[in-house]
Amino acid sequence: MTDALPLALGRAKELLPGGKVRAQEEWFACPDWAGLPGAGTHLEVRKGDAVVDRVLVDKLPYYLVGRLREVVDIPLEHESISRAHCAFVHHRKGNLYVIDLASKYGVYVNNKRVQPKTPVKITEEDAVRIGGSSRVFRVNRNAPPRKEATKRPASGEQPGPAAKRVR
């Protein structure tokens, strides 16, 4: 886990689809320092040693994670996940940050709980765990395998509005 960045509550609206801003404004405001990510940036989702999913996060400045499907970009079903639990935010200088949105069960970077509403820079070496879920997210800036597919629904779930699944 590396340095924290002060959270500015401005909006980089020009980088976002209007519907996304309206649906998510109750939960999160895009920071002024946010920028567009590099092509191919994705999150590897691991359970134990196995990669169980890859989620592209290479089109928008930020991606919300949580249970509220109508709002979040990356839906998770675990009972410890809040409606809007956290955000992965791309900095305009190329770094990726995770922000806990004051969730009850927290966000952990390398097994250390991050402070709510405080952006924490994450690198490819960092392991991010959300709530009590055993799944670990790792950022990967290399292009994922090109075979794109929708995540196989474990319990009738579909991918969120902005995140694409790749296998």
Side-chain angles (χ1 to χ4, degrees), residues 24-158:
Q24 296 176 342
E25 65 189 350
E26 175 183 345
W27 307 97
F28 184 72
C30 184
D32 288 335
W33 48 262
L36 293 174
T41 302
H42 64 282
L43 299 172
E44 278 188 354
V45 185
R46 297 178 166 269
K47 189 161 177 99
D49 291 333
V51 175
V52 296
D53 201 2
R54 289 182 179 89
V55 182
L56 283 174
V57 290
D58 68 345
K59 302 283 186 247
L60 300 171
Y62 73 88
Y63 291 81
L64 288 189
V65 179
R67 282 187 296 115
L68 193 57
R69 294 187 163 283
E70 305 80 43
V71 171
V72 302
D73 304 302
I74 304 170
L76 299 177
E77 297 296 325
H78 196 273
E79 64 270 2
S80 69
I81 304 297
S82 298
R83 293 175 288 176
H85 197 100
C86 67
F88 287 99
V89 184
H90 296 279
H91 192 283
R92 65 178 161 253
K93 293 185 178 178
N95 297 316
L96 182 64
Y97 289 78
V98 65
I99 303 171
D100 181 344
L101 302 178
S103 65
K104 183 175 182 179
Y105 293 102
V107 174
Y108 298 82
V109 176
N110 302 326
N111 294 318
K112 291 177 130 179
R113 189 168 182 165
V114 302
Q115 292 297 312
K117 305 283 187 172
T118 303
V120 176
K121 186 167 105 177
I122 56 174
T123 67
E124 292 182 357
E125 291 81 35
D126 293 322
V128 178
R129 193 170 46 80
I130 300 170
S133 174
S134 61
R135 293 175 191 252
V136 171
F137 294 78
R138 288 190 184 268
V139 63
N140 190 320
R141 295 186 195 295
N142 298 319
R146 289 311 312 158
K147 182 181 173 192
E148 290 191 18
T150 309
K151 179 183 174 187
R152 292 183 191 125
S155 59
E157 65 183 43
Q158 296 295 320

